Amino acid sequence: DTGVSQDPRHKITKRGQNVTFRCDPISEHNRLYWYRQTLGQGPEFLTYFQNEAQLEKSRLLSDRFSAERPKGSFSTLEIQRTEQGDSAMYLCASSPGVGAGGAEQYFGPGTRLTVT
Amino acid sequence: RKEVEQDPGPFNVPEGATVAFNCTYSNSASQSFFWYRQDCRKEPKLLMSVYSSGNEDGRFTAQLNRASQYISLLIRDSKLSDSATYLCVVNEYTGNQFYFGTGTSLTVIP
């Protein structure tokens, strides 16, 4: 399967714990995005990487959230001191970044986080 | 004001019907436009990009109206398998943020 993959698919954690999610984009894509989606809403932009550089972060992203893409390939999203309001589906997407269709994003299956 | 607004529906239509969704966006500088489809508890999947001249892919037609700042999606000859949530997506190139609408729910009834 050469699509976007995410791990884990589900995560249940207690309030106050730290969690880390991983995303592996489509291999030739240089752009990678993280989104959060709650029930009945569209995906909400969190942050974006061009290769290893984090170029954009949502104003909604608190300092408890951090993301990395150290070698311009896979990315991790960490949430520290989780809160019940962090419960959501966390989606990763990648896009080629160049050429026709460069902005077209392809999503992974998501990581569903439940904070108890 | 939200960057992208869609009528959440639900739209319930019989098989074979034609259905149209509209989506409005607030930033006149927006550069790229897309329709995504999302099935229940699944990830969004790209349905089609929306080009300035409009574009068609089989039973699906997308249009862009920059003057009025809306995009539309027309589905002809609806199939049961078209039942899903349709998300409108707008990209402001300078910021590279992508803004998703809340989605429009479609159910095609036998």
Side-chain angles (χ1 to χ4, degrees):
Chain A
D1 187 352
T2 57
V4 179
S5 61
Q6 292 187 245
D7 183 69
R9 297 289 304 275
H10 303 274
K11 179 71 176 179
I12 300 174
T13 192
K14 292 185 188 300
R15 186 165 51 95
Q17 297 295 304
N18 299 345
V19 294
T20 300
F21 309 142
R22 176 180 169 125
C23 170
D24 286 86
I26 294 172
S27 59
E28 60 269 26
H29 286 184
N30 61 33
R31 291 186 180 175
L32 186 148
Y33 302 80
W34 284 100
Y35 293 88
R36 176 171 63 192
Q37 187 175 26
T38 54
L39 197 63
Q41 301 296 315
E44 176 186 48
F45 172 83
L46 294 179
T47 190
Y48 146 66
F49 291 85
Q50 171 103 7
N51 299 312
E52 67 274 13
Q54 188 174 18
L55 298 186
E56 189 90 20
K57 285 176 66 172
S58 168
R59 293 185 301 274
L60 304 173
L61 205 64
S62 80
D63 57 6
R64 297 184 297 106
F65 288 71
S66 63
E68 293 183 342
R69 194 183 182 196
K71 296 182 180 178
S73 56
F74 73 91
S75 175
T76 58
L77 176 70
E78 180 183 19
I79 309 174
Q80 296 183 325
R81 305 181 302 282
T82 52
E83 301 172 357
Q84 288 187 317
D86 297 332
S87 295
M89 175 73 87
Y90 290 83
L91 292 160
C92 175
S94 68
S95 69
V98 293
E104 294 175 353
Q105 296 184 41
Y106 296 87
F107 283 82
T111 294
R112 184 170 296 282
L113 173 67
T114 302
V115 182
T116 62
Chain B
R1 184 181 175 186
K2 289 186 177 180
E3 290 84 4
V4 178
E5 300 212 45
Q6 290 183 254
D7 179 350
F11 284 67
N12 299 315
V13 303
E15 265 187 295
T18 295
V19 61
F21 309 135
N22 284 337
C23 162
T24 58
Y25 59 94
S26 60
N27 188 340
S28 60
S30 297
Q31 297 287 326
S32 306
F33 309 88
F34 309 90
W35 283 101
Y36 278 74
R37 166 198 173 122
Q38 188 170 29
D39 293 291
C40 188
R41 301 184 76 84
K42 298 284 191 181
E43 73 273 20
K45 291 189 187 297
L46 178 66
L47 182 64
M48 57 199 306
S49 301
V50 186
Y51 304 124
S52 297
S53 55
N55 46 304
E56 185 173 311
D57 183 2
R59 299 181 293 108
F60 299 84
T61 301
Q63 297 279 351
L64 167 64
N65 185 318
R66 285 191 184 273
S68 301
Q69 293 181 210
Y70 77 83
I71 66 174
S72 63
L73 177 69
L74 182 78
I75 306 176
R76 290 181 299 278
D77 188 24
S78 299
K79 311 289 185 193
L80 296 177
S81 59
D82 293 334
S83 298
T85 295
Y86 290 83
L87 297 160
C88 166
V89 187
V90 174
N91 172 225
E92 299 172 4
Y93 177 74
T94 53
N96 249 308
Q97 284 205 26
F98 284 75
Y99 295 98
F100 282 72
T102 54
T104 298
S105 173
L106 171 67
T107 300
V108 181
I109 304 163

